Amino acid sequence: MSGMTIGLTMGAIMMVMLALRVHIGISMFLAGAIGYVWASGWDPLLAYLKNAPYGRFSLYDLSVVPLFLLMGQFATHGGLSKALFRAGNAFIGHWRGGMAMAGVSACAGFGAICGSSLATAATMSHVVLPELKRHQYKPSLAAGSLAAGGTLGILIPPSVPLVIYAILAEQNIAKLFVAAFIPGILAALGYMLVIAIVTRLDPAAGGPGTPKHSWAERMATLVDTWPVMLIFAVVIGGIYGGLFTPTEAASVGVVATGIAAWKSGGLKNGGLLECIYGTATGTGMMFLILLGADMLNAFMAVSQMPVEVAQWVEQMGFGPFTVLFAIILIYLLLGCVMDSLSMILLTIPIFLPIILGMDYYGLTHEEKAIWFGMVALVVMEIGLITPPVGMNVFIINSMAKDIPLATIFRGVVPFLCSDLLRILLLVAFPAISLIMLRWLA
């Protein structure tokens, strides 16, 4: 039996396991291990398991994952989200739909020190949703804007999925963080524009505006956000300026956010233990998925399936953009049933070599890898708010049980249109992702 046949068979078995609600990490590991034995036998599998998992988890770069997760936990418990929302509301809360826009801007600011979409959605919904309800925003707009805004947590650096992508694609983490700046800003502005359009078409959706703040009041609220701005500047500036490695920068960020959380009283009454437990749980989940993905990718390497797929694409004579849009479509479909980290680990070893083997705008090997990473991350971001497994939607629903899931999914539809437009812009204009790198080169 050919490697392609074995690969497709095990892929089908893995999808069946996922449909049966088997954990994604375990599904990938079992499919990979069975396929490896099928293709090579037991002895090669045991030889692989003896060394490869240790080699993966002893990788220094991976230590940045629990550190960024802990930074997000401290930020969540430190009350920084409230200061961000107050500042945004002071500046634009008097606009039509301004309070929802302030919620999106606060999500962007919180994502800059968190790196997790789920944490961003959970934290900001706790802070912003009661205010939106109090100001008579329609539930669909209130919940939909926060579900969409939460996705900024994985796009605006520092981002845990970007770190994993950098490791898989063998790219510089600092360059990927810098490349994500403009796409992240575009995402936030796009969501705010959607709110403006929705409230223009349906004035009742936004409720009455808040009183306009004076410039003195605005500056006072802005001063309260200084820990966020300082932490972001130190972490990202330190990484790109060469002062720290990403791991060292994450350590500095942990200390800074920890101090901010301690000063605000967020670590009292078991808050510190909650942060540690949350970090340990998140890290364990990610590393289990990583272990399963490594096993699956090792099987694929043995079966030669990625090579055969690349050769088939080349022989069929598909154009570069036909291939790219086919990959984007696959990501959109996978996003309905998988989280972003699982998609990265499952697909990048297959798709990235195909993209790198084609010509896009005359980009270099490194530029193509960074550009594709941005496109893929934006598409994966959509999966966080699409049914049936839109995790951000479930997070918002758990915080506001009086808002039905169907209402929240209906509320995110306009934001999905913004996401799709942004994908087209990123594909058509790679400079959106690369211009910051060229400026700083």
Side-chain angles (χ1 to χ4, degrees), residues 28-29 32-33 36 45 48-49 290-299:
M28 288 193 291
F29 185 88
Y36 203 106
L45 172 66
Y48 170 82
L49 291 176
L290 186 58
L291 176 64
D294 274 356
M295 184 71 257
L296 186 63
N297 294 333
F299 153 63

Side-chain angles (χ1 to χ4, degrees), residues 184-347:
I185 292 171
L186 280 178
L189 293 176
Y191 292 157
M192 293 170 73
L193 179 60
V194 167
I195 294 169
I197 293 172
V198 169
T199 52
R200 177 71 61 179
L201 296 176
D202 181 10
T210 59
K212 189 173 182 178
H213 290 70
S214 68
W215 277 103
E217 291 172 326
R218 291 173 179 176
M219 290 300 106
T221 59
L222 199 60
V223 168
D224 291 339
T225 67
W226 72 265
V228 177
M229 293 186 284
L230 178 62
I231 292 166
F232 179 76
V234 169
V235 172
I236 302 302
I239 291 174
Y240 201 82
L243 297 176
F244 315 122
T245 66
T247 303
E248 291 166 348
S251 302
V252 171
V254 166
V255 173
T257 49
I259 292 173
W262 171 71
K263 287 187 66 177
S264 69
L267 300 185
K268 295 180 180 178
N269 302 321
L272 178 60
L273 281 178
E274 286 183 27
C275 291
I276 294 172
Y277 288 152
T279 301
T281 301
T283 302
M285 178 193 68
M286 289 187 178
F287 280 18
L288 175 60
I289 296 173
L290 186 58
L291 176 64
D294 274 356
M295 184 71 257
L296 186 63
N297 294 333
F299 153 63
M300 288 183 177
V302 169
S303 69
Q304 294 292 296
M305 181 180 170
V307 175
E308 291 187 33
V309 170
Q311 290 174 346
W312 176 77
V313 170
E314 185 177 347
Q315 291 168 0
M316 292 297 293
F318 292 131
F321 288 98
T322 302
V323 173
L324 179 60
F325 280 110
I327 290 173
I328 289 173
L329 179 60
I330 292 171
Y331 275 138
L332 290 174
L333 294 174
L334 288 177
C336 295
V337 294
M338 285 187 184
D339 62 88
S340 56
L341 182 63
S342 301
M343 283 194 284
I344 288 174
L345 293 168
L346 180 63
T347 62

Side-chain angles (χ1 to χ4, degrees), residues 21 334-339 382-394 409:
R21 311 297 292 175
L334 288 177
C336 295
V337 294
M338 285 187 184
D339 62 88
I382 295 176
L384 292 167
I385 53 176
T386 52
V389 191
M391 290 305 298
N392 277 16
V393 173
F394 286 100
F409 277 123

